[in-house]
Amino acid sequence: GESVGLHLPTLSVQEGDNSIINCAYSNSASDYFIWYKQESGKGPQFIIDIRSNMDKRQGQRVTVLLNKTVKHLSLQIAATQPGDSAVYFCAEIPRGSTLGRLYFGRGTQLTVWP
Amino acid sequence: DGGITQSPKYLFRKEGQNVTLSCEQNLNHDAMYWYRQDPGQGLRLIYYSQIVNDFQKGDIAEGYSVSREKKESFPLTVTSAQKNPTAFYLCASGRTPLNTEAFFGQGTRLTVV
């Protein structure tokens, strides 16, 4: 069943600051962890993923960190912009899954204010 | 442009009626999924399909049915047996076997009146 959860449901940051969105997971037998962004009234969009044998992965303005010791995943957004305001979901794919089904957490609402 | 299209965007249903939500993709993806999203909640999997003419129940399949007669299409029927159907429904597609990057449609908001 679903094992991905989030520390905080909401996060407010000032434009230009860095944002850190956290996610705790209980299922250590997962191959991939993924972050999705969902803007209001739209479907989620893939941001970045990280394989379970990695600790860090960087994308454009985003960095995902995986701490397997404490089962913690985070998404860092550099120089947060108003367009980053959205709900962010972490998700996971169980190890060995050939079905590609995703297990989603509840989400964190990120609000960026000027 | 390649993508995944859901229709309609808004749908109203009377109690006791069945309704069908459309999902079409032209990404040539084998896998397709239906998720339900309630306010303040994550996405919960209703049904998924890896290949034409085959599909499996997800975590909350009761009161729903699907078909996968064509690779491009994965319609979802919300039956009268679904006790609380008011929700935001999201269809997604992805490559197999690994699918970290699922492509989602814009969603259908279903309201029971």
Side-chain angles (χ1 to χ4, degrees):
Chain A
E2 187 178 76
S3 64
V4 181
L6 291 167
H7 288 306
L8 296 172
T10 61
L11 178 65
S12 294
V13 299
Q14 189 170 19
E15 182 178 357
D17 286 352
N18 296 336
S19 303
I20 300 176
I21 301 171
N22 296 306
C23 181
Y25 64 93
S26 58
N27 184 3
S28 57
S30 288
D31 253 347
Y32 284 87
F33 298 90
I34 311 106
W35 283 101
Y36 280 82
K37 172 187 179 183
Q38 185 178 27
E39 296 177 8
S40 181
K42 296 183 178 180
Q45 287 181 293
F46 172 90
I47 302 173
I48 192 169
D49 62 12
I50 186 168
R51 195 161 187 176
S52 58
N53 61 356
M54 299 171 66
D55 299 322
K56 179 179 180 179
R57 190 173 184 205
Q58 287 186 296
Q60 187 176 11
R61 276 204 308 122
V62 296
T63 301
V64 56
L65 299 176
L66 178 61
N67 186 331
K68 294 177 283 295
T69 302
V70 295
K71 297 182 181 178
H72 184 267
L73 182 73
S74 68
L75 177 71
Q76 300 179 359
I77 304 174
T80 313
Q81 302 167 1
D84 294 326
S85 293
V87 177
Y88 289 80
F89 292 96
C90 60
E92 60 178 330
I93 296 179
R95 183 168 299 148
S97 172
T98 58
L99 302 174
R101 59 167 295 180
L102 300 165
Y103 291 88
F104 285 87
R106 283 197 304 123
T108 293
Q109 172 71 60
L110 174 65
T111 302
V112 182
W113 43 281
Chain B
D1 287 338
I4 184 163
T5 303
Q6 289 186 243
S7 62
K9 189 171 182 179
Y10 299 97
L11 187 58
F12 297 89
R13 187 195 95 171
K14 293 183 179 179
E15 286 193 24
Q17 282 184 336
N18 293 353
V19 290
T20 297
L21 283 58
S22 171
C23 178
E24 303 278 333
Q25 55 100 357
N26 59 4
L27 299 167
N28 200 33
H29 287 162
D30 285 313
M32 296 189 75
Y33 310 82
W34 273 105
Y35 290 90
R36 170 179 171 143
Q37 187 174 29
D38 294 286
Q41 301 289 321
L43 282 66
R44 293 184 291 168
L45 185 66
I46 305 173
Y47 268 97
Y48 58 100
S49 169
Q50 271 196 297
I51 197 169
V52 174
N53 292 324
D54 186 52
F55 48 84
Q56 289 80 38
K57 293 181 178 180
D59 300 318
I60 56 166
E62 184 176 352
Y64 300 98
S65 65
V66 293
S67 63
R68 187 83 187 276
E69 297 177 1
K70 298 186 300 182
K71 187 175 185 177
E72 303 79 21
S73 179
F74 192 41
L76 173 74
T77 296
V78 184
T79 74
S80 57
Q82 170 50 236
K83 301 304 180 189
N84 184 22
T86 295
F88 190 49
Y89 291 87
L90 288 158
C91 179
S93 70
R95 291 176 286 270
T96 55
L98 191 59
N99 184 30
T100 60
E101 186 173 0
F103 292 80
F104 283 85
Q106 295 295 291
T108 293
R109 189 166 299 280
L110 173 64
T111 304
V112 174
V113 296

Coordinates of all heavy atoms in Angstrom, one line a residue, chain A residues 68-110:
Chain A
K68 N 18.7 7.6 2.8 CA 18.1 6.3 3.1 C 18.2 5.9 4.5 O 17.5 5.0 5.0 CB 18.8 5.2 2.2 CG 18.5 5.4 0.7 CD 19.2 4.4 -0.2 CE 20.7 4.8 -0.3 NZ 20.9 6.0 -1.1
T69 N 19.2 6.5 5.3 CA 19.3 6.1 6.7 C 18.1 6.5 7.5 O 17.6 5.7 8.3 CB 20.6 6.8 7.2 OG1 21.7 6.5 6.5 CG2 20.8 6.5 8.7
V70 N 17.6 7.7 7.2 CA 16.4 8.2 7.9 C 15.1 8.1 7.0 O 14.1 8.6 7.4 CB 16.6 9.6 8.4 CG1 17.7 9.6 9.5 CG2 17.0 10.6 7.3
K71 N 15.2 7.5 5.8 CA 14.1 7.4 4.9 C 13.5 8.7 4.6 O 12.3 8.9 4.8 CB 13.1 6.4 5.5 CG 13.7 5.0 5.7 CD 12.6 4.0 6.2 CE 13.2 2.6 6.4 NZ 12.2 1.7 6.9
H72 N 14.3 9.6 4.1 CA 13.8 11.0 3.9 C 14.2 11.4 2.5 O 15.3 11.2 2.0 CB 14.5 11.9 5.0 CG 14.0 13.3 4.9 ND1 14.7 14.3 4.2 CD2 13.0 13.9 5.5 CE1 14.0 15.4 4.3 NE2 13.0 15.2 5.1
L73 N 13.3 12.1 1.9 CA 13.5 12.6 0.5 C 13.2 14.1 0.5 O 12.2 14.5 1.2 CB 12.5 11.9 -0.4 CG 12.5 12.2 -1.9 CD1 13.7 11.6 -2.6 CD2 11.3 11.7 -2.6
S74 N 14.0 14.9 -0.2 CA 13.7 16.3 -0.2 C 13.9 16.9 -1.6 O 14.6 16.3 -2.4 CB 14.6 17.1 0.8 OG 15.9 17.1 0.3
L75 N 13.1 17.9 -1.9 CA 13.2 18.6 -3.2 C 13.6 20.1 -2.9 O 12.9 20.7 -2.1 CB 11.9 18.6 -3.9 CG 11.9 19.4 -5.2 CD1 12.7 18.7 -6.3 CD2 10.5 19.6 -5.7
Q76 N 14.7 20.5 -3.4 CA 15.2 21.9 -3.2 C 15.0 22.6 -4.5 O 15.4 22.2 -5.5 CB 16.7 21.9 -2.8 CG 16.9 21.1 -1.5 CD 18.4 21.1 -1.1 OE1 19.2 21.6 -1.8 NE2 18.7 20.5 0.0
I77 N 14.4 23.8 -4.4 CA 14.2 24.6 -5.5 C 14.9 25.9 -5.3 O 14.7 26.6 -4.3 CB 12.7 25.0 -5.7 CG1 11.8 23.7 -5.8 CG2 12.5 25.8 -7.0 CD1 10.3 23.9 -5.9
A78 N 15.9 26.2 -6.2 CA 16.7 27.4 -6.1 C 16.0 28.6 -6.7 O 15.3 28.5 -7.7 CB 18.0 27.2 -6.8
A79 N 16.2 29.8 -6.0 CA 15.6 31.0 -6.5 C 14.2 30.9 -6.9 O 13.8 31.1 -8.1 CB 16.4 31.5 -7.7
T80 N 13.3 30.5 -5.9 CA 11.9 30.2 -6.1 C 11.2 31.4 -6.8 O 11.4 32.6 -6.5 CB 11.2 29.9 -4.8 OG1 12.0 29.0 -4.1 CG2 9.9 29.3 -5.1
Q81 N 10.4 31.0 -7.8 CA 9.7 32.0 -8.6 C 8.2 31.9 -8.4 O 7.7 30.8 -8.0 CB 10.0 31.8 -10.1 CG 11.5 32.0 -10.4 CD 11.8 31.5 -11.8 OE1 11.0 31.0 -12.6 NE2 13.1 31.5 -12.1
P82 N 7.4 32.9 -8.7 CA 5.9 32.8 -8.6 C 5.4 31.6 -9.3 O 4.4 31.0 -8.9 CB 5.4 34.1 -9.2 CG 6.5 35.1 -8.9 CD 7.8 34.3 -9.1
G83 N 5.9 31.3 -10.5 CA 5.5 30.1 -11.3 C 5.7 28.8 -10.6 O 5.2 27.7 -11.1
D84 N 6.5 28.8 -9.5 CA 6.7 27.5 -8.8 C 5.6 27.2 -7.8 O 5.6 26.1 -7.2 CB 8.0 27.6 -8.0 CG 9.3 27.7 -8.9 OD1 9.2 27.1 -10.0 OD2 10.2 28.4 -8.5
S85 N 4.7 28.2 -7.6 CA 3.6 27.9 -6.7 C 2.7 26.8 -7.2 O 2.2 26.9 -8.4 CB 2.7 29.2 -6.6 OG 3.4 30.2 -5.9
A86 N 2.6 25.8 -6.4 CA 1.9 24.6 -6.9 C 1.9 23.6 -5.7 O 2.4 23.9 -4.6 CB 2.6 23.9 -8.1
V87 N 1.2 22.5 -5.9 CA 1.3 21.3 -4.9 C 2.4 20.4 -5.5 O 2.4 20.0 -6.6 CB 0.0 20.6 -4.8 CG1 0.1 19.4 -3.9 CG2 -1.1 21.6 -4.3
Y88 N 3.3 20.0 -4.6 CA 4.4 19.1 -4.9 C 4.1 17.8 -4.3 O 3.9 17.7 -3.0 CB 5.7 19.7 -4.5 CG 6.1 20.9 -5.3 CD1 5.5 22.1 -5.1 CD2 6.9 20.7 -6.4 CE1 5.8 23.2 -5.9 CE2 7.3 21.8 -7.2 CZ 6.7 23.1 -7.0 OH 7.0 24.1 -7.8
F89 N 4.2 16.7 -5.1 CA 4.0 15.4 -4.6 C 5.3 14.6 -4.7 O 6.0 14.6 -5.8 CB 2.9 14.6 -5.4 CG 1.5 15.2 -5.2 CD1 1.0 16.1 -6.1 CD2 0.7 14.7 -4.2 CE1 -0.3 16.6 -6.0 CE2 -0.5 15.2 -4.0 CZ -1.1 16.1 -4.9
C90 N 5.6 13.8 -3.7 CA 6.6 12.8 -3.9 C 5.9 11.5 -4.2 O 4.8 11.2 -3.8 CB 7.5 12.6 -2.7 SG 6.7 12.2 -1.1
A91 N 6.6 10.6 -4.9 CA 6.0 9.3 -5.3 C 7.2 8.3 -5.3 O 8.3 8.7 -5.4 CB 5.3 9.4 -6.7
E92 N 6.8 7.0 -5.3 CA 7.8 6.0 -5.3 C 7.3 4.8 -6.2 O 6.1 4.6 -6.4 CB 8.1 5.5 -3.9 CG 6.9 4.9 -3.2 CD 7.3 4.4 -1.8 OE1 8.4 3.9 -1.6 OE2 6.4 4.4 -1.0
I93 N 8.3 4.1 -6.7 CA 8.1 2.9 -7.4 C 8.7 1.7 -6.7 O 9.9 1.7 -6.5 CB 8.6 2.9 -8.9 CG1 7.9 4.0 -9.7 CG2 8.5 1.6 -9.6 CD1 8.4 4.2 -11.1
P94 N 7.9 0.7 -6.3 CA 8.5 -0.4 -5.5 C 9.6 -1.1 -6.3 O 9.5 -1.2 -7.6 CB 7.3 -1.3 -5.3 CG 6.1 -0.4 -5.4 CD 6.5 0.6 -6.4
R95 N 10.6 -1.7 -5.6 CA 11.6 -2.4 -6.2 C 11.1 -3.6 -7.0 O 10.2 -4.3 -6.5 CB 12.6 -2.9 -5.2 CG 13.9 -3.6 -5.7 CD 14.9 -3.7 -4.7 NE 15.4 -2.4 -4.2 CZ 15.7 -2.1 -3.0 NH1 15.7 -3.1 -2.1 NH2 16.1 -0.9 -2.6
G96 N 11.6 -3.8 -8.2 CA 11.2 -4.9 -9.0 C 9.9 -4.8 -9.7 O 9.4 -5.7 -10.4
S97 N 9.2 -3.6 -9.6 CA 8.0 -3.4 -10.2 C 8.1 -3.3 -11.7 O 8.9 -2.5 -12.2 CB 7.3 -2.2 -9.7 OG 6.1 -1.9 -10.4
T98 N 7.4 -4.1 -12.4 CA 7.4 -4.0 -13.9 C 6.2 -3.3 -14.4 O 6.0 -3.2 -15.6 CB 7.5 -5.4 -14.5 OG1 6.4 -6.2 -14.1 CG2 8.8 -6.2 -14.1
L99 N 5.4 -2.9 -13.5 CA 4.2 -2.2 -13.9 C 4.3 -0.7 -13.9 O 3.4 -0.1 -14.5 CB 3.0 -2.6 -12.9 CG 2.8 -4.2 -12.8 CD1 1.8 -4.5 -11.7 CD2 2.3 -4.7 -14.1
G100 N 5.3 -0.2 -13.3 CA 5.5 1.3 -13.3 C 4.4 2.0 -12.6 O 4.3 3.2 -12.8
R101 N 3.7 1.4 -11.7 CA 2.7 2.2 -11.0 C 3.4 3.0 -9.9 O 4.3 2.5 -9.3 CB 1.6 1.3 -10.4 CG 2.1 0.2 -9.5 CD 0.9 -0.4 -8.7 NE 0.2 0.6 -7.9 CZ -0.9 0.3 -7.1 NH1 -1.4 -0.9 -7.1 NH2 -1.4 1.2 -6.4
L102 N 2.8 4.2 -9.7 CA 3.4 5.1 -8.7 C 2.5 5.2 -7.5 O 1.3 5.1 -7.5 CB 3.4 6.5 -9.4 CG 4.2 6.7 -10.6 CD1 3.9 8.0 -11.3 CD2 5.7 6.6 -10.3
Y103 N 3.2 5.3 -6.3 CA 2.5 5.5 -5.1 C 2.8 6.9 -4.6 O 4.0 7.3 -4.4 CB 3.0 4.5 -4.0 CG 2.6 3.1 -4.3 CD1 3.4 2.3 -5.1 CD2 1.5 2.6 -3.7 CE1 3.0 0.9 -5.3 CE2 1.1 1.3 -3.9 CZ 1.9 0.5 -4.7 OH 1.5 -0.8 -5.0
F104 N 1.8 7.7 -4.5 CA 1.9 9.1 -4.2 C 1.7 9.4 -2.7 O 0.8 8.8 -2.1 CB 0.9 9.9 -5.0 CG 1.2 10.1 -6.5 CD1 0.8 9.1 -7.4 CD2 1.9 11.2 -6.9 CE1 1.1 9.2 -8.7 CE2 2.2 11.3 -8.3 CZ 1.8 10.3 -9.2
G105 N 2.4 10.5 -2.3 CA 2.1 11.1 -1.0 C 1.0 12.1 -1.1 O 0.4 12.3 -2.2
R106 N 0.7 12.7 0.1 CA -0.5 13.7 0.1 C -0.2 15.0 -0.6 O -1.1 15.7 -1.0 CB -0.9 13.9 1.5 CG -1.8 12.8 2.1 CD -2.5 13.2 3.3 NE -1.7 13.8 4.3 CZ -1.8 15.0 4.8 NH1 -2.8 15.7 4.4 NH2 -1.0 15.4 5.8
G107 N 1.1 15.4 -0.6 CA 1.4 16.7 -1.3 C 1.7 17.8 -0.3 O 1.2 17.8 0.8
T108 N 2.5 18.8 -0.8 CA 2.8 20.0 -0.1 C 2.4 21.2 -1.0 O 2.9 21.2 -2.1 CB 4.3 20.1 0.3 OG1 4.6 19.1 1.3 CG2 4.6 21.5 0.9
Q109 N 1.6 22.1 -0.4 CA 1.3 23.3 -1.2 C 2.4 24.4 -1.0 O 2.6 24.8 0.1 CB -0.1 23.9 -0.7 CG -0.4 25.2 -1.2 CD -0.8 25.1 -2.7 OE1 -1.8 24.4 -3.1 NE2 -0.1 25.9 -3.6
L110 N 3.0 24.7 -2.1 CA 4.1 25.8 -2.0 C 3.5 27.1 -2.5 O 2.9 27.1 -3.6 CB 5.3 25.4 -2.9 CG 6.3 26.4 -3.1 CD1 7.0 26.7 -1.7 CD2 7.4 26.0 -4.1

